[in-house]
Amino acid sequence: MHTTTSVFDTPGAVLLTAWCVVMWAAVAVLTRTRHRRPPWAYRLALAVTAVGLVGQIGHVQEHVAQVIYWLWHPNDPGWMTPLGDSLARGYGQLTGTDPAVGMEVLHLVGNFIFLAGLVGAVLATRHVASSSAHRWARMGVIMQGIHGLEHVALTVTAAAGLPPVGLSTWFGLLDAGPGLWTYRVWWHFLANVVGTIVFTVVVAKFWRERHRVGAAWAELTTRA
């Protein structure tokens, strides 16, 4: 990880955090309005889903880049793109820690943006009986929820000055070195690729069901 600072490090981290907070605020609003079903709730759920998908596309590209770098440098520590490196430094500055902890915070925020998008898909399709998109979205929430909890554990333990503890570190039992670096790079790459595939399936199935979903929301809104 590079140590050269930039004036964009902290503002970038602040903006990414705001992105995550706004998405979860929207999820909270949608949850609170599930009984009243205002006309704008469906559009808001779609927006949360779309923004989450955009965020995950950027997130998974970071992991793809890490794997490509690993192929040429398998014994080096995990690499980050210049943007990811800048955001990690920004989170290190915001939290008063080093960039390594900032990196954990960055991936925590990125994963919760992804999770919010999947929750948005669940909320958008919840009123359609036998919705395949809804089932896939719920599966995605469970999978990404588990992965998100791992990132919480990684971030908390790293911030406490301990070796990061999670599935990608064998709960802190792997010593720093090529074995740990390789395992973490590939673990998070596969977790994000699988999650992105699930999200892509959700979007594809929603597109096929969009008329049923829209009609169900329109009927509920009329009743309300």
Side-chain angles (χ1 to χ4, degrees), residues 14-93:
V14 170
L15 287 174
L16 189 66
T17 303
W19 179 348
C20 184
V21 170
V22 168
M23 288 189 69
W24 281 101
V27 168
V29 168
L30 288 168
T31 303
R32 291 291 298 274
T33 59
R34 65 184 183 276
H35 298 302
R36 294 189 287 112
R37 306 183 187 98
W40 46 263
Y42 178 49
R43 293 190 295 273
L44 181 59
L46 290 181
V48 171
T49 304
V51 173
L53 179 60
V54 170
Q56 179 56 14
I57 290 172
H59 184 191
V60 76
Q61 286 179 349
E62 180 76 22
H63 288 285
V64 170
Q66 288 178 356
V67 164
I68 292 173
Y69 181 88
W70 179 90
L71 292 173
W72 295 100
H73 306 88
N75 294 318
D76 287 0
W79 179 79
M80 297 183 70
T81 65
L83 176 58
D85 202 44
S86 173
L87 290 169
R89 290 195 305 269
Y91 277 114
Q93 294 162 14

Side-chain angles (χ1 to χ4, degrees), residues 1-223:
M1 184 178 296
H2 300 98
T3 57
T4 304
T5 60
S6 165
V7 295
F8 300 107
D9 294 350
T10 301
V14 170
L15 287 174
L16 189 66
T17 303
W19 179 348
C20 184
V21 170
V22 168
M23 288 189 69
W24 281 101
V27 168
V29 168
L30 288 168
T31 303
R32 291 291 298 274
T33 59
R34 65 184 183 276
H35 298 302
R36 294 189 287 112
R37 306 183 187 98
W40 46 263
Y42 178 49
R43 293 190 295 273
L44 181 59
L46 290 181
V48 171
T49 304
V51 173
L53 179 60
V54 170
Q56 179 56 14
I57 290 172
H59 184 191
V60 76
Q61 286 179 349
E62 180 76 22
H63 288 285
V64 170
Q66 288 178 356
V67 164
I68 292 173
Y69 181 88
W70 179 90
L71 292 173
W72 295 100
H73 306 88
N75 294 318
D76 287 0
W79 179 79
M80 297 183 70
T81 65
L83 176 58
D85 202 44
S86 173
L87 290 169
R89 290 195 305 269
Y91 277 114
Q93 294 162 14
L94 284 176
T95 59
T97 58
D98 59 61
V101 178
M103 182 270 292
E104 300 292 357
V105 178
L106 168 61
H107 284 285
L108 174 68
V109 173
N111 276 277
F112 271 84
I113 288 174
F114 181 22
L115 180 59
L118 286 166
V119 173
V122 169
L123 295 173
T125 56
R126 60 186 166 176
H127 298 303
V128 180
S130 303
S131 168
S132 182
H134 185 73
R135 290 195 300 272
W136 275 83
R138 289 186 63 185
M139 179 177 67
V141 166
I142 293 170
M143 292 172 56
Q144 183 58 25
I146 294 171
H147 190 57
L149 288 175
E150 181 195 8
H151 276 285
V152 171
L154 290 168
T155 302
V156 169
T157 50
L162 302 171
V165 173
L167 294 172
S168 60
T169 64
W170 277 97
F171 302 98
L173 297 178
L174 289 178
D175 294 329
L180 172 62
W181 301 331
T182 297
Y183 184 64
R184 285 203 69 172
V185 165
W186 282 96
W187 169 266
H188 289 289
F189 168 75
L190 292 173
N192 277 277
V193 166
V194 170
T196 304
I197 290 172
V198 170
F199 208 161
T200 303
V201 172
V202 170
V203 172
K205 289 184 175 294
F206 171 79
W207 182 254
R208 294 175 186 172
E209 299 174 352
R210 66 189 184 280
H211 298 302
R212 281 204 302 141
V213 175
W217 276 88
E219 182 180 355
L220 291 169
T221 302
T222 301
R223 291 178 185 174

